Amino acid sequence: MKSKSRTIVYATLTSVVWLACVALAGSQAGPAEKPLMAEDVFKNIQVLKGIPADEFLGIMSMFSAALGESCETCHDGKDGWASYALDTVPRKVMARRMVTMMTSINQANFGGRQAVTCFTCHRGTDRPRVTPSLADVYREAPPEGPDETVRPAPGAPSADQVLDKYLQAIGGAARAASLRSFVAKGNSGGYGPEGDKRPVEIFARAPDQRTTIIHTLDGDSTTTVSGPAGWIAAPHRPVPVLGLTGGELDGTRVDAQLSFPAQIKQTFGDWRAGAVTTINDRPAQVLQGTSPGGTLAMLYFDRESGLLVRLVRFAQSKVGRRPTQIDYADYRDVAGVKLPFRWTVTWLSGVDTFELMEIQPNVSIDAARFAKPAPPAP
């Protein structure tokens, strides 16, 4: 994808779909709310009915990434959210046909399994290529993104060995277990028009509570996960406070749990060790695990230091898995435990980098910090 197209894609989607700067919060949530369905929020939904609104927005980012196009390629958004429902752009009608075709192919040939997705054929272009490229055949292929599965590698260390080395690297299992809460402050910078640094506050409490507040010029963007519930409250969204569901909710809960390193073995199961790969020109050992909620994830540990340097997790959707990548850096000592002071979140709708200035460990945090957030003030 050309850099200009990529900028358009991410600039548009970052303002339309705030689906990944996820930070999380706690286990004292109230009764589970009934999720809003796509047809409850948006008009003229025809082939993507019966799915939660947050998954629907994620699917829109899947379409954009697969075709290398922005939202306006298929939508006339000149009059705000209402005009997104109109069928004035022929490509929107074609997109419905493509979704139906893809579903039919999977049902007829793969037993309904998502073997074919939009990206299978489009791979970042609006028109699938039909003629082989000789340049692609004979030149070195560009690096691919992470596969969804890790193949067991002969001679690889066991998952327990890798995880024990990680726990030792951050200060030891006992010291890590002593970290039960923290409050952090720093800055966040996004992609394209979101690139200016914005103040950030993070409130976290073990085992699975975390709230991140990004103070933007247009109002606060707040992401909260509290055990079985989670929400995003952000300006310029069709729903001011949107409940998280399914893979998005489970993925953000995973991020919250990993804020407390002592929990890493419990956060995932079905561990599998793969081959050594390279992250930032350094060898890294990859492990694959699955959370109790079904989130499949790859974790990359620096072979020398043992520290976690990358997490890639996948959220399931009706049109395929949606990847989110988190790169960790700048580990510093906090009450005897090494925590990352810098991480970059990359997802289909944008990129956001967090840089912390301070972390206060084991402080008392008001339970209200992990409740459903209020709509952002203008």
Side-chain angles (χ1 to χ4, degrees), residues 292-322:
T295 293
L296 181 70
M298 261 74 81
L299 297 88
Y300 300 82
F301 299 85
D302 186 278
R303 287 267 290 191
E304 181 178 341
S305 70
L307 295 173
L308 178 64
V309 293
R310 176 173 293 173
L311 165 73
V312 182
R313 55 176 174 80
F314 301 89
Q316 191 62 268
S317 79
K318 196 170 183 177
V319 299
R321 285 175 171 155
R322 293 179 284 120

Side-chain angles (χ1 to χ4, degrees), residues 183-371:
V183 174
K185 293 183 179 181
N187 294 299
S188 165
Y191 186 88
E194 303 288 334
D196 292 340
K197 288 188 176 182
R198 304 152 299 181
V200 169
E201 295 179 274
I202 299 175
F203 303 87
R205 184 163 61 193
D208 55 4
Q209 293 180 293
R210 180 167 157 171
T211 291
T212 296
I213 305 171
I214 303 176
H215 301 288
T216 78
L217 294 177
D218 295 333
D220 290 348
S221 288
T222 303
T223 306
T224 294
V225 167
S226 185
W231 309 270
I232 292 180
H236 309 307
R237 293 177 60 89
V239 180
V241 183
L242 182 62
L244 299 177
T245 65
E248 194 64 37
L249 172 60
D250 193 57
T252 55
R253 186 188 298 120
V254 162
D255 295 347
Q257 292 170 322
L258 292 181
S259 298
F260 300 93
Q263 302 182 153
I264 192 166
K265 289 187 178 182
Q266 294 75 40
T267 300
F268 299 101
D270 299 326
W271 289 103
R272 179 185 299 177
V276 174
T277 186
T278 301
I279 303 291
N280 299 325
D281 298 323
R282 293 173 61 87
Q285 176 65 54
V286 59
L287 296 182
Q288 176 183 291
T290 305
S291 76
T295 293
L296 181 70
M298 261 74 81
L299 297 88
Y300 300 82
F301 299 85
D302 186 278
R303 287 267 290 191
E304 181 178 341
S305 70
L307 295 173
L308 178 64
V309 293
R310 176 173 293 173
L311 165 73
V312 182
R313 55 176 174 80
F314 301 89
Q316 191 62 268
S317 79
K318 196 170 183 177
V319 299
R321 285 175 171 155
R322 293 179 284 120
T324 296
Q325 177 174 305
I326 306 176
D327 289 280
Y328 303 96
D330 191 18
Y331 278 83
R332 304 182 195 176
D333 186 278
V334 177
V337 182
K338 291 187 183 301
L339 298 178
F341 270 62
R342 186 177 188 272
W343 63 91
T344 301
V345 183
T346 307
W347 71 107
L348 294 178
S349 301
V351 180
D352 213 333
T353 297
F354 294 83
E355 295 179 322
L356 300 185
M357 294 179 290
E358 64 176 61
I359 297 179
Q360 301 176 27
N362 294 324
V363 295
S364 177
I365 303 175
D366 190 336
R369 286 292 186 185
F370 306 116

